[in-house]
Amino acid sequence: MIRVLVVDDQDLIRAGLVALLQAAPGIEVVAEADDGESAVDRAAHVRPDVILMDIRMPGMDGTVATERILAAADDPVPRILVLTTFDLDEYVYAALRAGASGFLLKDTGPQRLIDAVTAVARGGMLFAPSVTRRLIETYVHHADPTPDPAPDLDVLTARECEVLRLTARGLSNTEIAAQLYIGEATVKTHLNRTMTKLNVDSRAQAVVVAYESGLVVPGAR
């Protein structure tokens, strides 16, 4: 069973999400929260596999809650799926930067939502790489300066840097494998090692690092 925590400040929307997920085979809603602070508390107590996180909430928003949950989580770290109204949204960028595994628009259909929760629980990402790139390119030069410097890419091998660069440019694992003449499993291995070395929890977070470190320049081909 995929154990899910549903977070949304609107009671009606939250109730609808809970009912939909509870009716789906293989999914169990183990807790609900109506704001970011209670989401952090619930996540620590029930240790869900997936957190469906509303991004805009009064008080502690979904981005801060995502940061705190992932910072405090023991392995296995929960996968966080952000709910948003607009796909190009600075809140979504901040959530990806904090380690969210993807995002869904709030007008997503029921089956798409169920498929998304399942995919994220299995370690997948929830959006096309090109969408990630477009979002990050839009906001990376407009974001507030980070309090911590970007990770040093010198810890990466030349091949890991190349795989990260192509990932950040929006290529899928299959496309990267074809371009570099290596197997898709090898691409995944390089990405996993890169994420470990950079101390990031998701592919999207690694892409953010690639832009913020200057490995990839927004708009460059």
Side-chain angles (χ1 to χ4, degrees), residues 58-81:
M60 184 188 298
D61 64 26
T63 297
V64 176
T66 294
E67 291 175 344
R68 295 192 181 180
I69 289 169
L70 294 179
D74 296 322
D75 289 332
V77 176
R79 301 283 180 168
I80 297 181
L81 192 53

Side-chain angles (χ1 to χ4, degrees), residues 27-88:
I27 296 177
E28 177 188 7
V29 177
V30 293
E32 303 175 37
D34 59 6
D35 60 28
E37 187 172 353
S38 59
V40 174
D41 180 67
R42 301 284 193 282
H45 281 85
V46 303
R47 300 188 63 186
D49 302 309
V50 176
I51 300 173
L52 203 56
M53 178 78 74
D54 186 16
I55 198 68
R56 298 196 184 203
M57 296 180 287
M60 184 188 298
D61 64 26
T63 297
V64 176
T66 294
E67 291 175 344
R68 295 192 181 180
I69 289 169
L70 294 179
D74 296 322
D75 289 332
V77 176
R79 301 283 180 168
I80 297 181
L81 192 53
V82 169
L83 288 172
T84 182
T85 305
F86 306 104
D87 62 344
L88 283 180

Side-chain angles (χ1 to χ4, degrees), residues 186-221:
T186 303
V187 173
K188 293 179 181 178
T189 297
H190 285 310
L191 275 174
N192 287 336
R193 288 176 178 169
T194 296
M195 289 164 59
T196 297
K197 290 180 178 180
L198 297 179
N199 193 31
V200 298
D201 299 312
S202 72
R203 183 187 184 110
Q205 230 179 346
V207 171
V208 171
V209 169
Y211 279 93
E212 294 189 336
S213 66
L215 179 66
V216 180
V217 178
R221 298 188 64 84

Side-chain angles (χ1 to χ4, degrees), residues 60-143:
M60 184 188 298
D61 64 26
T63 297
V64 176
T66 294
E67 291 175 344
R68 295 192 181 180
I69 289 169
L70 294 179
D74 296 322
D75 289 332
V77 176
R79 301 283 180 168
I80 297 181
L81 192 53
V82 169
L83 288 172
T84 182
T85 305
F86 306 104
D87 62 344
L88 283 180
D89 188 324
E90 68 273 17
Y91 286 87
V92 176
Y93 167 73
L96 296 179
R97 190 182 191 192
S101 295
F103 64 90
L104 276 177
L105 295 179
K106 284 198 169 183
D107 60 0
T108 296
Q111 190 57 52
R112 171 65 172 157
L113 173 65
I114 293 167
D115 292 344
V117 169
T118 302
V120 167
R122 292 173 178 169
M125 303 300 291
L126 193 62
F127 36 76
S130 59
V131 175
T132 312
R133 183 190 65 190
R134 180 165 57 97
L135 179 69
I136 291 171
E137 286 195 348
T138 300
Y139 288 101
V140 72
H141 277 190
H142 303 288

Side-chain angles (χ1 to χ4, degrees), residues 135-193:
L135 179 69
I136 291 171
E137 286 195 348
T138 300
Y139 288 101
V140 72
H141 277 190
H142 303 288
D144 294 333
T146 57
D148 301 314
D152 188 351
L153 298 188
D154 289 343
V155 299
L156 304 182
T157 66
R159 179 63 86 188
E160 287 165 351
C161 278
E162 184 65 8
V163 170
L164 177 59
R165 184 182 67 81
L166 294 175
T167 300
R169 294 310 305 150
L171 275 68
S172 67
N173 287 357
T174 302
E175 291 168 333
I176 295 171
Q179 183 158 327
L180 298 181
Y181 301 102
I182 59 178
E184 191 170 345
T186 303
V187 173
K188 293 179 181 178
T189 297
H190 285 310
L191 275 174
N192 287 336
R193 288 176 178 169

